[in-house]
Amino acid sequence: MKRYLAAVLALILALALVSCGAQAVGGASEPGSVPEPLPKADVSQPEEPDHSHQPAEGDNILPHEPMIYCGNTITEVTENGRLVDDPKAASFWGGDSVALTDLLIHLDYSEGICRCLPEYLVETEFSEEPYGVNLSESYARCGDSQAELTQEQVEQIQGILDRNLPD
């Protein structure tokens, strides 16, 4: 038993010493040197033929029974960190939280998703995963489907974000 334990400890020590001699991922090869930061991920999207977004025209809300929300329903919004260097985030409740939650829950998410990245990630108390929202391209995404937003909905969401995201 002691021989087995000694062999395992020797193997662990050898692996640790070998890994110390390996070059760091960021390029630091000299002891005490600082590795260069890894380049930021390329978030540009390849051109898609005939791909463009337009605000939805007409009704894009699914028929539903009116929901009753508690005024302390919390919504969290974060700018997409893949698109901005210093993403802003906010957690808010009250009328803006209820309005944004109610809108996102009842949109008709019947379209497949495109390759455009969402500008904002929105978590509500009723979402299992964040919604992706892109106001420039007028869409909201839920899972593997998305819905085109009307110009009025884009303006409503923009107003909510303007009131709640820090400057």
Side-chain angles (χ1 to χ4, degrees):
M1 179 71 172
K2 288 182 183 181
R3 284 185 188 177
Y4 176 73
L5 182 59
V8 169
L9 290 175
L11 180 61
I12 292 171
L13 179 60
L15 288 173
L17 291 174
V18 168
S19 68
C20 287
Q23 185 173 351
V25 173
S29 57
E30 298 297 318
S33 65
V34 177
E36 294 179 27
L38 294 174
K40 191 166 186 171
D42 179 18
V43 295
S44 61
Q45 299 294 319
E47 292 285 326
E48 289 186 35
D50 302 323
H51 178 78
S52 65
H53 291 273
Q54 300 297 321
E57 304 225 357
D59 192 13
N60 62 353
I61 301 290
L62 295 172
H64 61 280
E65 295 293 322
M67 293 181 65
I68 298 173
Y69 298 94
C70 180
N72 62 2
T73 297
I74 297 174
T75 300
E76 295 180 24
V77 177
T78 306
E79 289 180 313
N80 189 338
R82 293 181 63 189
L83 298 176
V84 295
D85 290 328
D86 189 20
K88 299 175 191 172
S91 180
F92 53 93
W93 57 280
D96 283 343
S97 176
V98 169
L100 187 53
T101 297
D102 195 60
L103 172 64
L104 292 173
I105 286 176
H106 297 112
L107 283 172
D108 181 7
Y109 296 100
S110 60
E111 301 174 26
I113 62 172
C114 65
R115 296 179 60 96
C116 301
L117 293 174
E119 297 168 316
Y120 302 94
L121 302 175
V122 180
E123 293 183 58
T124 72
E125 290 185 17
F126 302 97
S127 59
E128 292 180 21
E129 61 185 71
Y131 292 92
V133 176
N134 188 316
L135 299 178
S136 301
E137 301 295 339
S138 305
Y139 75 77
R141 184 175 293 167
C142 180
D144 59 356
S145 299
Q146 70 185 36
E148 297 299 323
L149 298 170
T150 66
Q151 186 60 41
E152 181 180 286
Q153 291 165 337
V154 168
E155 291 169 6
Q156 177 187 10
I157 295 170
Q158 187 64 64
I160 290 169
L161 298 180
D162 289 346
R163 286 188 295 277
N164 291 284
L165 280 176
D167 292 329

